[in-house]
Amino acid sequence: INLPIGMSQDSDECRAIVRTMYMRALQLDARTYLPKRLKELAQAHDFSYVSIRITSAKTRWGSCSARNTINFTWYIMKLPLHLIDFIILHELCHTVHKNHGQKFHNLLNACCSGKEAQYSKELRMFTIS
């Protein structure tokens, strides 16, 4: 990141520039990585979906529409890769079960090699922002 001559690295203006560039990098990473990874995991676990959308949502990591469009917030890229996969698998399981009932959790747990509870607990340690 190139800063204007004379701008202090400790200034609020500098922090704002760095934060903006960081957010842009996360967005670019999300648009590059998530579609590919979604396709890989869907094929590996025999799921199908209609399309993917990357949003700036701040209330949820992902969602699945009634028509099987899968949405992810680009903030997901701040997470460890195994939790990104967990969220992707969570949304893919919603293409089969549109609720959080026992059948949904059984399917997700099977997709996660029995680690659904562990990953859910770990994910709660992170916030979207």
Side-chain angles (χ1 to χ4, degrees):
I1 299 173
N2 293 319
L3 300 175
I5 294 175
M7 180 182 287
S8 169
Q9 292 180 0
D10 296 327
S11 70
D12 290 340
E13 186 179 8
C14 177
R15 285 187 194 91
I17 290 170
V18 169
R19 181 165 174 76
T20 298
M21 297 308 294
Y22 173 66
M23 296 301 180
R24 286 183 186 166
L26 286 177
Q27 290 172 14
L28 180 59
D29 283 351
R31 294 187 191 292
T32 303
Y33 179 77
L34 292 174
K36 178 182 173 201
R37 190 63 178 146
L38 176 64
K39 183 177 181 180
E40 290 170 353
L41 289 173
Q43 288 175 343
H45 295 275
D46 200 28
F47 289 109
S48 62
Y49 61 95
V50 173
S51 62
I52 180 175
R53 290 182 58 227
I54 311 297
T55 70
S56 60
K58 292 185 178 181
T59 58
R60 60 180 65 178
W61 297 110
S63 64
C64 179
S65 75
R67 294 188 176 166
N68 291 342
T69 294
I70 297 182
N71 304 287
F72 298 108
T73 180
W74 54 262
Y75 290 99
I76 197 174
M77 298 308 296
K78 295 168 91 175
L79 297 172
L81 292 176
H82 69 284
L83 291 180
I84 294 173
D85 280 357
F86 175 67
I87 293 167
I88 292 171
L89 288 168
H90 180 109
E91 300 312 330
L92 285 169
C93 287
H94 279 308
T95 65
V96 177
H97 301 289
K98 300 294 185 193
N99 55 48
H100 287 113
Q102 193 59 50
K103 289 180 181 179
F104 168 84
H105 287 290
N106 290 344
L107 178 59
L108 180 56
N109 198 44
C111 291
C112 296
S113 302
K115 295 182 179 180
E116 180 200 7
Q118 175 188 330
Y119 291 160
S120 291
K121 182 178 179 182
E122 188 177 348
L123 185 59
R124 285 191 292 274
M125 296 180 350
F126 295 89
T127 58
I128 302 172
S129 62

